[in-house]
Amino acid sequence: MQKPEKNPDNGKHGSDFSAMFAALGDPTRLAIFDRLADGKPRSISVLSNDADMTRQAVTKHLRVLEAAGLVQNHRVGRESQYAFCPEQLAEARAYLDQVAGRWESALMRLKTFVEDDEV
Amino acid sequence: MQKPEKNPDNGKHGSDFSAMFAALGDPTRLAIFDRLADGKPRSISVLSNDADMTRQAVTKHLRVLEAAGLVQNHRVGRESQYAFCPEQLAEARAYLDQVAGRWESALMRLKTFVEDDEV
DNA sequence: TCTAAATGCAACTAAAAAGTTGCATATTTA
DNA sequence: TAAATATGCAACTTTTTAGTTGCATTTAGA
């Protein structure tokens, strides 16, 4: 069987969100993101100190988080500080809320249907 | 520089959540998950019909979602139906809410600090 | 100014993920 | 029962990701 290639449409639902979830989908990155949630910006060196990997690896992770819009970077002196960035987090939450909402609605419709059927 | 290996501790924060985010971090999987949120179980064939890839690829994606606890599977006759599973979604939402809460608290403390300083 | 600290860049390796293909098996249904 | 449908398993290729290493550059400080 060959590659089907059916969908000529694009855009729609949460296809954009997958990149953000992917960014959070690595334990190291999630740990960094979690840590930065206290609002204090931290340099690459500081963030590397308690990671079990090299500074370069941490740098790459930070760039992935930055590309996903989850953290922001700005250079101060010789160091590069990364800080929490709440907008994308809000988007992710809104998306998951929306999915959960659809699920709840579906449940509700089912319940109503069953009740109507029982009368 | 060698592998640092600093952290002998384990567990704590959101390290478990990274697997779930990783499961949602693929566009195909997120699309499937999103689609199943209407509560209707669907067979592998049905889900494969509008994916631009083979049935086997979709099967693998479904197993990843299942391993993450995001969907459930049960065999009916010759077909294998996958259905939405809300528990893990709730966990993800709760986790993101908690992170957002920490961020808000940090903001609040900063605001208070600045105001106190201005008096 | 000379050195140490913080980072960047590029090339590389290794491992995991995504996807395909071919074939076998179970289940409907004509 | 024979054909068609739905799936499973295993081997394989390709692409991406995670991580390291070596070296160059920039900045802070003694």
Side-chain angles (χ1 to χ4, degrees):
Chain A
M1 192 189 278
Q2 265 281 66
K3 192 182 295 187
E5 185 170 356
K6 270 226 183 149
N7 245 359
D9 84 302
N10 62 11
K12 204 192 327 199
H13 277 144
S15 38
D16 299 300
F17 297 103
S18 68
M20 174 174 23
F21 289 133
L24 296 177
D26 175 275
T28 301
R29 284 195 295 265
L30 187 56
I32 291 175
F33 180 69
D34 193 281
R35 188 174 175 196
L36 290 176
D38 67 359
K40 301 178 189 167
R42 288 173 178 84
S43 72
I44 297 178
S45 299
V46 167
L47 290 170
S48 300
N49 280 341
D50 33 26
D52 303 355
M53 64 191 65
T54 61
R55 167 183 60 87
Q56 283 303 328
V58 172
T59 298
K60 286 193 181 180
H61 283 304
L62 285 168
R63 288 183 180 163
V64 172
L65 287 170
E66 187 182 20
L70 292 164
V71 302
Q72 269 180 327
N73 165 252
H74 86 286
R75 191 79 185 236
V76 41
R78 67 180 156 182
E79 53 189 35
S80 166
Q81 310 225 114
Y82 282 86
F84 193 82
C85 192
E87 287 81 9
Q88 288 299 106
L89 172 60
E91 296 257 351
R93 292 209 293 155
Y95 172 68
L96 294 184
D97 286 357
Q98 182 251 36
V99 173
R102 296 214 312 281
W103 164 255
E104 287 295 335
S105 303
L107 263 198
M108 202 70 86
R109 279 192 292 277
L110 179 60
K111 184 162 171 269
T112 303
F113 173 75
V114 171
E115 280 170 351
D116 286 0
D117 201 51
E118 280 173 347
V119 174
Chain B
M1 191 191 279
Q2 265 280 66
K3 192 182 295 185
E5 185 170 356
K6 271 225 184 151
N7 245 0
D9 84 303
N10 62 12
K12 206 191 326 200
H13 276 147
S15 39
D16 299 301
F17 297 104
S18 67
M20 175 173 24
F21 289 133
L24 296 177
D26 175 276
T28 301
R29 284 196 294 266
L30 187 56
I32 291 175
F33 180 69
D34 193 282
R35 188 174 175 196
L36 290 176
D38 67 359
K40 301 178 189 167
R42 290 173 178 82
S43 72
I44 296 177
S45 300
V46 167
L47 290 170
S48 299
N49 280 341
D50 33 26
D52 303 354
M53 64 191 66
T54 61
R55 168 183 60 87
Q56 284 303 327
V58 172
T59 298
K60 285 193 182 181
H61 283 304
L62 285 168
R63 288 182 181 166
V64 171
L65 286 171
E66 187 181 20
L70 292 165
V71 303
Q72 269 180 329
N73 165 251
H74 87 285
R75 192 81 184 237
V76 41
R78 68 182 156 183
E79 52 190 34
S80 165
Q81 310 225 115
Y82 281 86
F84 193 82
C85 194
E87 286 81 10
Q88 288 299 107
L89 171 60
E91 297 257 351
R93 293 209 293 156
Y95 172 68
L96 294 184
D97 286 356
Q98 183 253 35
V99 173
R102 296 214 312 281
W103 164 255
E104 287 295 335
S105 304
L107 264 198
M108 201 71 88
R109 279 193 294 274
L110 179 59
K111 186 164 170 269
T112 304
F113 174 75
V114 172
E115 280 170 352
D116 286 0
D117 201 52
E118 281 174 345
V119 174

